[in-house]
Amino acid sequence: MTKAKEKILNAASRLFHEQGYNSTGINEIIAAANIAKSTLYQHFASKDQLCIAFLERRHQQWFAQLCQVVDPVVGEQAKLLALFDFIMQMNEKEEFRGCSFLNILSEISVEEQSAILQVIQQHKTDLQDYITAISQGTYAHLADHIYFLFESAIIESQLYREQTPVLKIKNIVKSLL
Amino acid sequence: MTKAKEKILNAASRLFHEQGYNSTGINEIIAAANIAKSTLYQHFASKDQLCIAFLERRHQQWFAQLCQVVDPVVGEQAKLLALFDFIMQMNEKEEFRGCSFLNILSEISVEEQSAILQVIQQHKTDLQDYITAISQGTYAHLADHIYFLFESAIIESQLYREQTPVLKIKNIVKSLL
DNA sequence: GTAAAATCGTACCGACTTGTCTGTTTTTAA
DNA sequence: TTAAAAACAGACAAGTCGGTACGATTTTAC
């Protein structure tokens, strides 16, 4: 990846995640990235395409971090509980800004921006599959249940800007296992 | 309430809910409401204030509809399950647009629009209290758990634009009761 | 060293943003 | 009927929006 392209993606990622998609202008992105507007449009055909590139990269990075937390943990039960430690880590690191994918879902027009919707759906499907995978064995029947609680944990902690909901949900999951 | 004020609130409600807050302009609202811009600003000091008025009215109407579905149902267990019938009704009626409160949460700046954040938090707190209230008795210990699954049901059905997640979650709750 | 590719700055486009202001017309109520 | 309140249309401000076009300059690679 070119140096400029990376600078654009880094700036856009930070701004989209911090302020939201619609609240972040192209001019703000090029100022933050310290590149020319023409350079941006040489790498990305439109703001929506830049959004997709952002989401696709975030998808990879987000999963990498998730695996980094969960995979080393030994034991099915402990792995499933580690999911919620990961949420708490992200909340701290990113100041309770929640899930970029769900945030952008709230901003787009499903009809006119269906390409973005697809990336968001894919991300969540992959997450659900991941949880199903680590649930294989004793807790296979709880996979979806835990996925739904995982989603709630992200949203409720974003809403109240505190870890309390994650801790509550982690305890609920503990009681299920 | 004045006739004009109501027309403004009706138009703004529809547009905010259908398109989102930031994607809806003042000019679009006054055109849809068929009123003059000066009339809008006579009733609402700013777009943010209009947003708060919208959320407060939606809070009332939403709860009224929820109670209309749940309250007539007899039996604690059946009441708790009816929560998810309500979600499905809303999904159908509103084409899977999800929760206005969470959608707007994703759009605002928590620092600069804290008045809006408060209304959103209050709405969710009231919902949680409501579920706690109808759980009183045998299922008091499940109140929070069901609230979290309720939230997930709204979001996941918005994401995939189908009732499947609600039905899945309703079955999960059934297995808990 | 030279040619190609990348990036540059900036002006420009038309449309849109929230909000204010002015003066006129309509509605309401005593 | 008259006075006050409400709503009207529309111009205006000062800026932002996403996106295009321009030629000039820098970087890269052979």
Side-chain angles (χ1 to χ4, degrees), chain A residues 83-164:
Chain A
L83 289 170
F84 300 93
D85 298 330
F86 167 72
I87 292 178
M88 287 192 281
Q89 274 184 34
M90 293 295 276
N91 281 342
E92 291 255 324
K93 195 188 298 180
E94 299 183 347
E95 293 179 85
F96 295 93
R97 270 184 267 272
C99 173
S100 273
F101 298 86
L102 294 182
N103 285 340
I104 288 179
L105 174 65
S106 295
E107 294 208 60
I108 61 168
S109 155
V110 170
E111 293 82 25
E112 295 160 28
Q113 293 166 296
S114 59
I116 295 177
L117 175 63
Q118 276 187 17
V119 180
I120 298 171
Q121 289 177 337
Q122 189 61 58
H123 169 74
K124 290 301 182 186
T125 302
D126 287 352
L127 169 60
Q128 200 164 359
D129 289 347
Y130 177 78
I131 295 180
T132 300
I134 63 171
S135 302
Q136 276 318 324
T138 331
Y139 304 115
H141 61 108
L142 288 175
D144 280 356
H145 192 163
I146 292 169
Y147 164 71
F148 291 132
L149 289 172
F150 184 92
E151 291 286 90
S152 264
I154 297 176
I155 283 149
E156 297 299 310
S157 53
Q158 176 184 9
L159 170 58
Y160 293 108
R161 315 198 92 68
E162 52 181 44
Q163 305 282 28
T164 321

Side-chain angles (χ1 to χ4, degrees), chain A:
Chain A
M1 181 142 44
T2 325
K3 210 145 241 164
K5 189 166 185 177
E6 210 161 351
K7 282 205 290 182
I8 296 165
L9 217 36
N10 286 339
S13 298
R14 186 173 57 79
L15 292 169
F16 287 163
H17 186 63
E18 283 179 10
Q19 314 179 345
Y21 181 59
N22 289 328
S23 302
T24 301
I26 291 288
N27 293 322
E28 203 177 351
I29 295 171
I30 65 166
N34 207 30
I35 52 99
K37 189 182 278 198
S38 34
T39 306
L40 187 150
Y41 280 99
Q42 200 166 317
H43 290 289
F44 304 97
S46 65
K47 197 191 173 190
D48 271 16
Q49 283 304 118
L50 177 55
C51 180
I52 289 173
F54 154 61
L55 289 177
E56 282 173 345
R57 202 183 60 162
R58 173 139 180 115
H59 177 75
Q60 294 181 328
Q61 295 178 342
W62 189 89
F63 261 92
Q65 290 181 264
L66 177 65
C67 294
Q68 210 177 333
V69 170
V70 173
D71 289 353
V73 174
V74 181
E76 223 176 296
Q77 198 169 329
K79 268 187 209 293
L80 289 169
L81 291 173
L83 289 170
F84 300 93
D85 298 330
F86 167 72
I87 292 178
M88 287 192 281
Q89 274 184 34
M90 293 295 276
N91 281 342
E92 291 255 324
K93 195 188 298 180
E94 299 183 347
E95 293 179 85
F96 295 93
R97 270 184 267 272
C99 173
S100 273
F101 298 86
L102 294 182
N103 285 340
I104 288 179
L105 174 65
S106 295
E107 294 208 60
I108 61 168
S109 155
V110 170
E111 293 82 25
E112 295 160 28
Q113 293 166 296
S114 59
I116 295 177
L117 175 63
Q118 276 187 17
V119 180
I120 298 171
Q121 289 177 337
Q122 189 61 58
H123 169 74
K124 290 301 182 186
T125 302
D126 287 352
L127 169 60
Q128 200 164 359
D129 289 347
Y130 177 78
I131 295 180
T132 300
I134 63 171
S135 302
Q136 276 318 324
T138 331
Y139 304 115
H141 61 108
L142 288 175
D144 280 356
H145 192 163
I146 292 169
Y147 164 71
F148 291 132
L149 289 172
F150 184 92
E151 291 286 90
S152 264
I154 297 176
I155 283 149
E156 297 299 310
S157 53
Q158 176 184 9
L159 170 58
Y160 293 108
R161 315 198 92 68
E162 52 181 44
Q163 305 282 28
T164 321
V166 189
L167 292 168
K168 273 191 189 178
I169 290 175
K170 193 181 173 186
N171 276 327
I172 289 170
V173 172
K174 213 177 285 185
S175 77
L176 291 174
L177 299 174

Side-chain angles (χ1 to χ4, degrees), chain B residues 8-76:
Chain B
I8 297 165
L9 216 36
N10 287 339
S13 296
R14 186 174 59 79
L15 292 169
F16 286 163
H17 186 62
E18 283 180 12
Q19 315 179 345
Y21 181 59
N22 288 329
S23 301
T24 302
I26 291 288
N27 294 321
E28 203 177 352
I29 295 170
I30 64 165
N34 207 30
I35 51 100
K37 187 181 280 195
S38 33
T39 306
L40 187 150
Y41 280 100
Q42 199 167 319
H43 289 288
F44 303 98
S46 66
K47 196 190 173 190
D48 272 15
Q49 283 303 118
L50 177 55
C51 179
I52 289 173
F54 154 61
L55 290 177
E56 283 174 346
R57 202 183 60 160
R58 177 146 178 107
H59 177 74
Q60 294 182 327
Q61 295 177 343
W62 189 90
F63 261 93
Q65 289 181 262
L66 176 65
C67 294
Q68 209 177 334
V69 170
V70 173
D71 289 352
V73 174
V74 182
E76 220 176 299

Side-chain angles (χ1 to χ4, degrees), chain B residues 140-157:
Chain B
H141 61 110
L142 288 175
D144 280 356
H145 191 164
I146 292 169
Y147 164 72
F148 291 132
L149 289 173
F150 184 92
E151 291 286 271
S152 263
I154 296 175
I155 284 149
E156 297 299 310
S157 52

Side-chain angles (χ1 to χ4, degrees), chain B residues 111-175:
Chain B
E111 292 82 25
E112 294 160 29
Q113 292 165 297
S114 60
I116 295 177
L117 175 63
Q118 276 187 16
V119 179
I120 298 171
Q121 289 178 336
Q122 189 60 58
H123 170 73
K124 289 301 183 188
T125 303
D126 287 352
L127 169 60
Q128 199 163 0
D129 289 346
Y130 177 79
I131 295 179
T132 300
I134 63 171
S135 302
Q136 274 319 322
T138 330
Y139 305 115
H141 61 110
L142 288 175
D144 280 356
H145 191 164
I146 292 169
Y147 164 72
F148 291 132
L149 289 173
F150 184 92
E151 291 286 271
S152 263
I154 296 175
I155 284 149
E156 297 299 310
S157 52
Q158 176 184 10
L159 170 58
Y160 293 108
R161 313 197 94 68
E162 52 180 44
Q163 305 282 28
T164 321
V166 189
L167 290 167
K168 272 192 189 176
I169 289 175
K170 192 181 173 187
N171 276 327
I172 290 171
V173 171
K174 213 178 285 186
S175 77

